[in-house]
Each structure stands twice: as C-alpha cells, then as structure tokens.
C-alpha cells in the first residue's frame, strides 16, 4: 500500500483502500451504542467483510490487533489513561520504504497482511492529530461512543452528528430550562 497525503478512498490492485481520516474514524467508531446498547463491529458475524472493506484481510488476528488499537486510541482521544506500548507494538514489525517518482516521494508500508490495517490506523491517527491538532475528539454526548474530526472553521464542533446527538442534546437542554422556569 502506498501512503500518500490526503484523505480519500482509492482503488489499488483491484481492492478498495480507505485512507487516513476515514479509516481512523471507521475504526474508532466501530463500537457504537445502538438503542442504548454497546455494539462492536469487530465481534459481528460480518466483521471479516468489514475489515476487508477497509483494505484489510479480515483474519481473526487482524481484528484482534484492530481492537487493541481502537481501544487504546479511544482512551487516548478521550484523555484517559493509555499504554502507548500497545500502539508501538503494532508498528514494531512494519516498515515505511520511500519511493521516489517525478511527482515526489511516497512511502510504501511493508507489513504482514494481517498486521497492515492496524498499522495504517496508527499512522492515520498520527497524521490526523499532526495535521489537525485538537480536532479529533469524542462526541460530547456522554451516551454516544462515536468520534469526530472537527472541520469547522472555529473548531467548536461537539457532536458526531448534528442530526442525532446535537439535536438530542439541544432538546434535553431546552427541556431542562422549561422545567426550571415552570
């Protein structure tokens, strides 16, 4: 896989490869709360297909590494305690090799097939936090388990979705005000 600037979905060798921001959010958001109940895409029957859709191979070992990376990154983004050794171990057996062309330098990620996707997620996290400092955050709705990358000009986005969490939180605030007034 060639790791280049930008966030996009591209075709490479006949398969779809999800890059950077989209990949990071897909993995961070793979354990949503649905109807008040925590779920985990990595435990679902279609988990192998989900991983393959992200450019992985879908093995159980790959899903275990993705879960390790996801859980560490979720804790890190939320400001909780995190052991970065788990993230470092994902990168221990991978290598970025430079490739020079007339358009510049790109980096080829070299990793075992079932280790590449987790390494790509860690690299995506690093890139997003470097290029968009303090813009990767958890949804402000405490009942939500999703994350967002804030692209708003002032950098004040709080919810994973204005249509769901944003409206829900604003409705609760409005209801509290009405109760306190009446």
């Amino acid at each position: 896989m060639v790791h280049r600037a930008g966030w996009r979905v591209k075709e490479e060798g006949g398969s779809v490869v999800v890059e950077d921001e989209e990949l990071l959010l897909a993995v961070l958001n793979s354990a949503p709360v649905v109807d008040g109940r925590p779920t985990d895409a990595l435990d679902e029957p279609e988990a192998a297909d989900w991983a393959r859709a992200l450019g992985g191979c879908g093995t159980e070992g790959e899903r275990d590494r993705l879960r390790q990376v996801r859980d560490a990154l979720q804790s890190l983004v939320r400001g909780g305690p995190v052991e970065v050794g788990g993230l470092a171990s994902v990168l221990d057996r991978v290598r970025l090799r430079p490739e020079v062309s007339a358009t510049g330098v790109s980096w080829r990620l070299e990793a075992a097939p079932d280790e590449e996707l987790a390494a790509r997620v860690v690299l995506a996290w690093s890139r997003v936090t470097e290029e968009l400092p303090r813009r990767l955050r958890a949804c402000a709705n405490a009942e939500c388990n999703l994350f967002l990358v804030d692209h708003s000009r002032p950098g004040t986005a709080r919810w994973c979705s204005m249509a769901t969490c944003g409206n829900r939180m604003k409705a609760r605030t409005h209801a509290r005000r009405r109760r306190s007034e009446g």
Side-chain angles (χ1 to χ4, degrees):
M1 193 218 108
V2 178
H3 188 77
R4 292 193 172 99
W7 302 301
R8 63 190 177 283
V9 177
K10 68 176 187 174
E11 296 233 3
E12 184 175 287
S15 64
V16 173
V17 178
V18 180
E19 291 195 13
D20 293 343
E21 187 177 324
E22 289 87 1
L23 173 63
L24 177 61
L25 287 175
V27 173
L28 284 174
N29 291 335
S30 65
V33 174
V34 178
D35 296 327
R37 194 176 50 85
T39 64
D40 189 340
L42 295 169
D43 291 336
E44 299 295 326
E46 55 278 345
D49 293 335
W50 179 84
R52 282 191 289 274
L54 294 176
C57 58
T59 65
E60 187 174 331
E62 177 182 64
R63 293 190 311 270
D64 289 342
R65 277 183 274 297
L66 283 173
R67 188 176 293 104
Q68 172 190 355
V69 165
R70 179 196 64 205
D71 295 349
L73 289 177
Q74 284 181 343
S75 180
L76 187 64
V77 171
R78 285 190 175 102
V82 69
E83 172 53 46
V84 294
L87 298 176
S89 72
V90 167
L91 299 177
D92 278 346
R93 293 181 301 279
V94 302
R95 183 168 78 173
L96 287 174
R97 180 183 296 277
E99 292 183 345
V100 181
S101 71
T103 59
V105 176
S106 60
W107 296 88
R108 179 167 298 279
L109 179 63
E110 296 178 344
D114 67 345
E115 295 177 356
E116 183 179 324
L117 186 56
R120 286 179 44 224
V121 172
V122 174
L123 292 172
W125 161 75
S126 178
R127 178 184 212 124
V128 167
T129 57
E130 180 181 313
E131 293 182 4
L132 298 166
R134 295 174 303 282
R135 296 294 182 115
L136 174 62
R137 59 183 67 118
C139 179
N141 179 357
E143 296 170 8
C144 181
N145 198 35
L146 299 180
F147 293 79
L148 64 129
V149 176
D150 181 2
H151 288 282
S152 70
R153 183 176 215 127
T156 57
R158 298 178 53 204
W159 300 289
C160 62
S161 164
M162 190 60 203
T164 54
C165 287
N167 283 340
R168 188 173 300 139
M169 298 304 289
K170 287 182 176 197
R172 287 180 188 163
T173 300
H174 180 71
R176 266 194 304 264
R177 279 190 201 136
R178 290 188 55 119
R179 281 193 302 269
S180 67
E181 292 172 358

